[in-house]
């Protein structure tokens, strides 16, 4: 018993300092430094010598007990106080906020390029001016915040300043110190360094801040960038602290000590000093930059902070000297912007669209406007309540948004542009296509056309059936379906499979040559082989999306089995709730749907799930494995690779953790590669990854 006790005590005394101990040590140091300054510099002590001694002794004893907390900066290792090391608590007395600060090396802006073409022209100029054809670049996100410079002397943060006009900024040192992401003391720092980067606010912090301001009736910030700038330039540092600002370092000004030789080196150097740096990519080809740009544009909405493009920098600093700078911007870097996601335009009319399920949706007819990289002439208004809530009227100038692949939508009205001639929208009570009286169920936000034979509903369901998500029939796009309906070649879904009898009539249409018709007909034949899960999606059963269709197909295997399943049997299936079950029952109870399925079966559609593939999934090296991809693969795209892993029963994820089984490394891998090395995760080359795939899953294309 005694033995156990001693052992326990010993272990305890060797234990690392807890967070609480660390906090206490921090607090003691701050207080002691503060009192040192009052005593030694200002000659105005606030506490008695005895009280001071007590604080000092407590710190000494904690540092003895936890030697790992000892640092040369601790007041226990120094005597007196330096006049220029002002404790933050006293900064307001000693220093007025926002004094001018001169940047020894100007903080410049960046030139913009708005398209791949412009970017390529920029690269050509760089190649010409350097006389080098092979140039590598570092890509970083272009954070939407404000740039600041942090000056460190002997590793201590001395000055934080804003960019100002590039030459003279404002001294925001005390506010800068309140940022958690800004190190106050650097590890292994050079004698002198000016670190530059971006102060920003996360989307979450921004929303929280605005919600609070709304509650208190204060004016709202327009965007996270304004909120960040406003918060950094506060007279009271406590306010800045409460705003939870963030920081990324990506550049330096002057430096005395070892100097990195390239941007990629600089970023790891800054990271080692204790700065957060943006995730970035080192690329050697223009294509690499273009891919990174496209990838970031896609990921943009899911990032925790706002970015408005990608900054591309020539990697080698030696080339920076060769290229030089213009008055406002360097020639060795460029901001490769994203297409704007919002634009203003005139709302000319509001029409009502009839969806596949009969949903009547108000749609804005717009004066065509370039937004999100395409020209947009229609935008959804979602439902009548939205139109009312946003007070959108015909003739209004509106802000339209198109982010990623999302359907364009009207965000808001520009009220200042109202003339008084705008007309309110009235939701019609009848289906605009077939004239049936619209019905609105209580729990729904949109009215519906209840007529199953409504020409609009028929058109949409055929289009949906043939679409990528459904049977994926190439050549049978929305406009073709429309035309075939008008010509009477199609009346319902099943007629698709009778189109071969209309071959000559189709060929007689304008724009339809022999080859095109034959391609269409063979795509239609091909679609008959799609598995049950795809057919279920294509039929557009309400509540049955891609994932649910897979669950059902895997469980029931054949259309017949699913058709005969009772509501009770359905709800027994994992993930199938009563709502889904009842919707499926309703679908199959409908005589028309049963007839359609019968006809499709007779037309030769497969109606079963690929059991074979399921069997293979049982035994393979990727089954159940967590796989992360980084870099560019040469034989397939990232999403193809991830899909393969999924089909083989593995789990593709996007970040490396200790749970990760494999990290597959392609060309120009990102930071995940380093992380995998550190975490000791098994790393696979592309070839090794492919060798793990069952034969029939391997890419047919040869490696480039
Ligand atoms: P502009 O706002 O058009 O003057 O563009 C230049 C500004 O982009 C710089 O002053 C920085 O504040 C900002 N910026 C954001 N992210 C980066 C980055 N990764 N590298 C350099 N500058 C950046
Ligand atoms: Zn209708």
């Amino acid at each position: 018993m005694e033995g156990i006790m001693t052992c326990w005590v010993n272990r305890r005394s060797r234990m690392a300092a807890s967070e609480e101990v660390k906090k206490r040590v921090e607090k003691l140091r701050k207080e002691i430094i503060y009192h040192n300054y009052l005593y030694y510099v200002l000659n105005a002590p606030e506490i008695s010598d005895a009280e001071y001694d007590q604080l000092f002794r407590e710190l000494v004893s904690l540092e003895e007990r936890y030697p790992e907390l000892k640092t040369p900066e601790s007041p226990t290792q120094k005597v007196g106080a330096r006049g220029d090391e002002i404790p933050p608590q006293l900064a307001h007395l000693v220093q007025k906020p926002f004094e001018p600060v001169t940047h020894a090396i100007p903080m410049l802006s960046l030139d913009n390029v708005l398209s791949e073409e412009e970017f390529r022209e920029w690269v050509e100029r760089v190649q010409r001016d350097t006389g080098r054809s092979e140039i590598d670049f570092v890509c970083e996100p272009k954070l939407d915040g404000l740039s600041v410079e942090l000056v460190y002397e002997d590793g201590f943060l001395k000055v934080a300043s804003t960019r100002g006009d590039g030459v003279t900024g404002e001294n925001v040192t005390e506010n800068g110190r309140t940022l958690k992401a800004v190190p106050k003391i650097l590890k292994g720092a050079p004698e002198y360094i000016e670190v530059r980067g971006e102060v920003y606010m996360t989307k979450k912090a921004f929303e929280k801040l605005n919600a609070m301001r709304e509650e208190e009736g204060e004016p709202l910030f327009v965007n996270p960038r304004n909120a960040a700038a406003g918060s950094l330039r506060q007279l009271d540092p406590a306010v800045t602290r409460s705003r939870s600002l963030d920081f990324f370092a990506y550049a330096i000004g002057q430096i005395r000590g070892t100097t990195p030789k390239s941007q990629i080196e600089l970023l790891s150097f800054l990271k080692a000093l204790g700065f957060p740096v943006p995730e970035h990519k080192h690329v050697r080809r223009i294509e690499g930059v273009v891919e990174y740009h496209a990838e970031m544009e896609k990921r943009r909405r899911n990032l925790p902070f706002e970015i408005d493009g990608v900054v591309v920098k020539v990697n080698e600093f030696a080339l920076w000297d060769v290229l030089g700078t213009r008055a406002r911007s360097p020639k060795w870097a460029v901001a490769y912007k994203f297409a704007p996601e919002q634009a203003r335009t005139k709302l000319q009319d509001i029409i009502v669209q009839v969806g596949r399920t009969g949903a009547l949706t108000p749609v804005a007819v717009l004066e065509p406007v370039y937004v999100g990289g395409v020209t947009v002439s229609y935008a959804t208004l979602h439902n009548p309540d939205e139109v009312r809530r946003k007070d959108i009227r015909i003739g209004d100038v509106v802000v339209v948004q198109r982010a990623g692949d999302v359907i364009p939508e009207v965000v808001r009205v520009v009220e200042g542009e109202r003339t008084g001639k705008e007309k309110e929208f009235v939701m019609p009570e009848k289906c605009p296509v077939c004239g049936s009286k619209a019905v609105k169920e209580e729990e729904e936000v949109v009215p519906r056309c209840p007529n199953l034979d409504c020409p609009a509903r028929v058109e949409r369901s055929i289009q949906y059936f043939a679409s990528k998500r459904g049977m994926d029939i190439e050549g049978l796009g929305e406009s073709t379906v429309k035309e075939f309906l008008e010509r009477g070649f199609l009346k319902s879904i099943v007629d698709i499979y009778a189109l071969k009898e209309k071959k000559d009539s189709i060929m007689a249409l304008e724009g339809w040559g022999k080859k095109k018709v034959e391609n269409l007909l063979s795509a239609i034949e091909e679609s008959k082989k799609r598995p049950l899960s795809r057919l279920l999606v294509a039929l557009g059963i309400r509540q049955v999306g891609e994932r649910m269709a897979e669950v059902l197909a895997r469980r029931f295997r054949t259309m017949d089995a699913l058709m005969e399943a009772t509501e009770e049997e359905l709800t027994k299936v994992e993930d199938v709730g009563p709502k889904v079950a009842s919707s499926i029952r309703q679908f199959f109870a409908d005589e028309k749907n049963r007839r359609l399925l019968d006809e499709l079966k007779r037309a030769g559609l497969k109606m079963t799930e690929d059991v074979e593939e399921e069997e293979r999934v049982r035994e393979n090296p990727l089954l159940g494995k967590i796989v992360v991809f980084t870099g560019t693969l040469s034989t397939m795209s990232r999403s193809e690779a991830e899909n393969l892993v999924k089909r083989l029963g593995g789990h593709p994820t996007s970040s490396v953790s200790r749970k990760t089984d494999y990290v597959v490394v392609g060309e120009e891998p990102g930071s995940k590669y380093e992380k995998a090395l550190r975490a000791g995760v098994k790393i696979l080359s592309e070839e090794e990854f492919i060798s793990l795939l069952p034969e029939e899953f391997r890419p047919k294309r040869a490696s480039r």
Side-chain angles (χ1 to χ4, degrees):
M1 180 67 195
E2 213 176 27
I4 293 172
M5 281 292 286
T6 340
C7 172
W8 186 77
V9 169
N10 279 344
R11 260 199 19 228
R12 183 157 184 241
S13 63
R14 263 191 273 114
M15 229 158 57
S18 66
E19 278 315 307
E20 257 167 64
V21 171
K22 283 185 201 158
K23 271 199 201 129
R24 180 70 190 150
V25 167
E26 282 283 350
K27 185 152 189 273
L28 285 168
R29 284 180 185 154
K30 260 194 214 148
E31 278 187 44
I32 292 167
I33 291 170
Y34 170 73
H35 292 297
N36 280 349
Y37 200 86
L38 287 172
Y39 184 89
Y40 290 110
V41 182
L42 301 178
N43 298 314
E46 264 178 20
I47 53 173
S48 69
D49 288 359
E51 282 167 49
Y52 177 86
D53 286 343
Q54 203 181 339
L55 293 173
F56 200 86
R57 270 201 306 271
E58 192 188 342
L59 181 59
V60 170
S61 86
L62 282 175
E63 287 183 350
E64 268 168 13
R65 182 126 170 230
Y66 303 102
E68 79 268 29
L69 295 184
K70 255 191 204 162
T71 72
E73 293 76 39
S74 175
T76 59
Q77 310 300 310
K78 296 184 170 182
V79 285
R82 269 169 60 169
D84 57 352
E85 282 176 5
I86 307 154
Q89 303 97 307
L90 289 169
H92 60 290
L93 289 180
V94 183
Q95 171 201 44
K96 272 199 274 134
F98 308 154
E99 281 174 302
V101 171
T102 307
H103 305 298
I105 301 175
M107 294 178 76
L108 298 176
S109 175
L110 289 168
D111 271 358
N112 292 334
V113 290
L114 303 172
S115 64
E116 180 177 337
E117 198 187 338
E118 283 182 24
F119 174 68
R120 284 178 184 273
E121 282 166 16
W122 178 80
V123 173
E124 274 165 29
R125 228 167 10 223
V126 168
Q127 287 169 334
R128 211 171 39 237
D129 290 356
T130 56
R132 292 250 301 251
S133 58
E134 306 239 317
I135 290 184
D136 54 336
F137 302 100
V138 174
C139 304
E140 298 164 10
K142 185 167 191 297
L143 301 150
D144 214 1
L146 69 153
S147 48
V148 297
E149 180 173 82
L150 307 168
V151 181
Y152 291 83
E153 277 175 39
D154 297 322
F156 288 89
L157 175 60
K158 282 296 158 69
V159 183
S161 58
T162 61
R163 178 171 77 173
D165 66 358
V167 177
T168 311
E170 288 172 312
N171 187 330
V172 289
T173 309
E174 290 327 309
N175 294 339
R177 279 188 205 281
T178 68
L179 270 67
K180 277 205 203 83
V182 169
K184 268 52 86 181
I185 300 172
L186 302 182
K187 311 172 231 168
E191 199 183 318
Y192 179 91
I193 183 171
E194 297 167 358
V195 174
R196 295 174 175 186
E198 200 83 354
V199 168
Y200 67 94
M201 191 178 277
T202 61
K203 293 175 188 167
K204 239 200 209 134
F206 169 70
E207 272 154 29
K208 225 169 111 188
L209 174 62
N210 261 356
M212 244 161 60
R213 290 174 75 85
E214 187 157 30
E215 248 172 47
E216 276 151 31
E218 289 176 82
L220 303 189
F221 286 110
V222 191
N223 54 40
R225 180 168 40 91
N226 287 345
S231 303
L232 188 65
R233 298 175 65 264
Q234 286 288 324
L235 292 181
D236 181 359
V239 175
T240 307
R241 186 189 301 276
S242 75
R243 296 286 171 83
S244 43
L245 293 172
D246 249 300
F247 179 73
F248 271 135
Y250 49 66
I252 54 171
Q254 297 187 114
I255 180 169
R256 278 197 301 278
T258 39
T259 311
K261 300 214 163 24
S262 65
Q263 180 66 12
I264 200 78
E265 269 180 35
L266 174 68
L267 289 171
S268 23
F269 174 72
L270 290 171
K271 199 169 166 198
L273 288 177
F275 291 97
V277 297
E279 66 162 271
H280 53 274
K281 195 168 174 188
H282 185 187
V283 298
R284 290 180 179 80
R285 290 170 301 127
I286 294 183
E287 288 69 32
V289 177
V290 175
E291 265 166 39
Y292 180 84
H293 181 267
E295 190 189 319
M296 290 309 274
E297 189 157 20
K298 243 193 259 153
R299 286 178 49 199
R300 179 179 187 183
R301 288 186 322 133
N302 300 323
L303 292 175
F305 41 75
E306 288 204 339
I307 64 174
D308 60 352
V310 166
V311 181
V312 188
K313 300 174 181 172
V314 171
N315 184 38
E316 274 178 64
F317 288 168
L319 296 181
W320 291 19
D321 297 333
V322 176
L323 289 160
T325 63
R326 286 180 221 84
R328 280 192 70 249
S329 53
K331 291 190 188 171
W332 39 260
V334 76
Y336 184 176
K337 293 283 192 93
F338 296 141
E341 292 188 319
Q342 289 198 342
R344 285 178 178 207
T345 190
K346 187 157 182 154
L347 188 152
Q348 294 169 323
D349 199 4
I350 296 179
I351 56 171
V352 172
Q353 220 173 44
V354 189
R356 179 170 48 87
T357 59
L360 301 179
T361 314
V363 172
V365 182
L366 307 169
E367 212 163 81
V369 61
Y370 188 73
V371 58
V374 296
T375 300
V376 166
S377 347
Y378 296 94
T380 181
L381 294 165
H382 300 292
N383 58 61
D385 291 344
E386 276 287 290
V387 180
R388 225 166 299 132
R389 196 175 62 77
K390 293 178 176 164
D391 188 22
I392 296 167
R393 303 180 199 172
I394 298 163
D396 267 332
V397 173
V398 292
V399 174
V400 181
Q401 173 165 295
R402 181 184 179 272
D405 316 328
V406 181
I407 299 170
E409 58 172 355
V410 173
V411 185
R412 64 183 170 88
V413 170
V414 184
E415 274 181 35
E417 300 274 346
R418 283 233 164 116
T419 61
K421 290 205 192 119
E422 294 76 14
K423 279 204 281 302
E424 253 177 68
F425 164 72
V426 188
M427 188 71 188
E429 302 201 331
K430 288 182 183 164
C431 169
V433 175
C434 73
S436 306
K437 193 169 168 6
V439 290
K440 192 173 161 222
E441 276 164 44
E442 232 172 88
E443 74 274 24
E444 293 198 318
V445 287
V446 289
R448 286 175 197 278
C449 165
N451 175 12
L452 284 171
D453 295 319
C454 172
R457 293 188 60 172
V458 171
E459 181 181 326
R460 298 267 179 279
S461 30
I462 300 177
Q463 287 167 337
Y464 186 76
F465 185 89
S467 73
K468 276 234 145 40
R469 287 191 63 198
M471 299 302 260
D472 194 9
I473 304 175
E474 211 176 315
L476 197 57
E478 290 185 4
S479 54
T480 306
V481 169
K482 196 174 156 89
E483 185 175 9
F484 285 7
L485 272 164
E486 282 162 4
R487 304 262 168 194
F489 298 169
L490 289 177
K491 283 196 182 64
S492 94
I493 287 171
V494 72
D495 297 337
I496 293 172
Y497 296 98
L499 279 174
K500 52 178 177 273
E501 288 145 33
K502 308 239 160 41
K503 192 172 167 186
D504 294 336
S505 319
I506 299 173
M507 238 151 59
L509 298 179
E510 217 187 286
W512 282 87
K514 186 160 180 266
K515 190 83 200 133
K516 189 169 167 189
V517 179
E518 276 169 2
N519 284 344
L520 171 64
L521 293 178
S522 73
I524 290 172
E525 278 311 298
E526 190 62 27
S527 76
K528 291 181 179 172
K529 299 184 206 142
R530 305 261 188 271
L532 175 63
S533 50
R534 291 297 283 276
L535 179 57
L536 288 176
V537 175
L539 288 170
I541 306 169
R542 285 175 76 181
Q543 311 284 347
V544 181
E546 271 166 84
R547 207 185 56 84
M548 185 54 67
E550 264 172 40
V551 169
L552 292 168
R554 209 167 293 157
R555 166 68 183 76
F556 292 96
R557 295 282 162 87
T558 69
M559 186 65 90
D560 288 337
L562 180 61
M563 204 178 319
E564 300 316 324
T566 63
E567 220 162 307
E568 204 196 337
E569 281 169 323
L570 285 164
T571 37
K572 271 200 203 130
V573 181
E574 210 183 329
D575 293 337
V576 177
K579 228 171 152 183
V580 180
S582 121
S583 167
I584 295 168
R585 281 317 319 148
Q586 259 179 40
F587 180 85
F588 288 117
D590 191 323
E591 190 48 43
K592 268 176 97 168
N593 290 332
R594 284 182 166 259
R595 207 164 47 234
L596 169 67
L597 289 171
D598 218 44
E599 286 166 345
L600 287 175
K601 199 187 284 174
R602 260 185 284 138
L605 270 71
K606 180 160 149 173
M607 306 262 171
T608 58
E609 192 66 1
D610 265 328
V611 192
E612 250 182 313
E613 183 162 306
E614 276 248 310
E615 300 296 356
R616 281 199 298 261
V617 166
R618 291 216 179 101
E619 279 299 331
N620 79 75
L622 289 172
L623 184 64
K625 294 285 192 274
I626 299 178
V627 185
V628 175
F629 292 90
T630 177
T632 312
L633 302 178
S634 63
T635 55
M636 61 187 96
S637 74
R638 171 83 57 93
S639 62
E640 278 169 343
E642 287 177 347
N643 262 330
L644 268 180
V645 171
K646 260 192 241 164
R647 283 173 58 197
L648 290 166
H651 313 284
T653 60
S654 57
S655 66
V656 177
S657 76
R658 264 174 297 130
K659 287 202 207 122
T660 311
D661 292 296
Y662 300 123
V663 172
V664 181
V665 177
E667 229 182 292
E668 286 160 10
S671 58
K672 287 181 229 167
Y673 178 46
E674 291 156 35
K675 200 159 171 205
L677 285 174
R678 261 184 278 127
V681 175
K682 181 147 179 59
I683 290 169
L684 300 178
S685 68
E686 183 171 353
E687 290 87 278
E688 287 169 321
F689 167 67
I690 289 170
S691 72
L692 291 184
L693 301 173
E695 192 68 48
E696 56 279 35
F697 282 78
R698 292 186 192 158
K700 306 224 162 46
R701 271 180 289 147
S703 174
R704 264 191 254 137

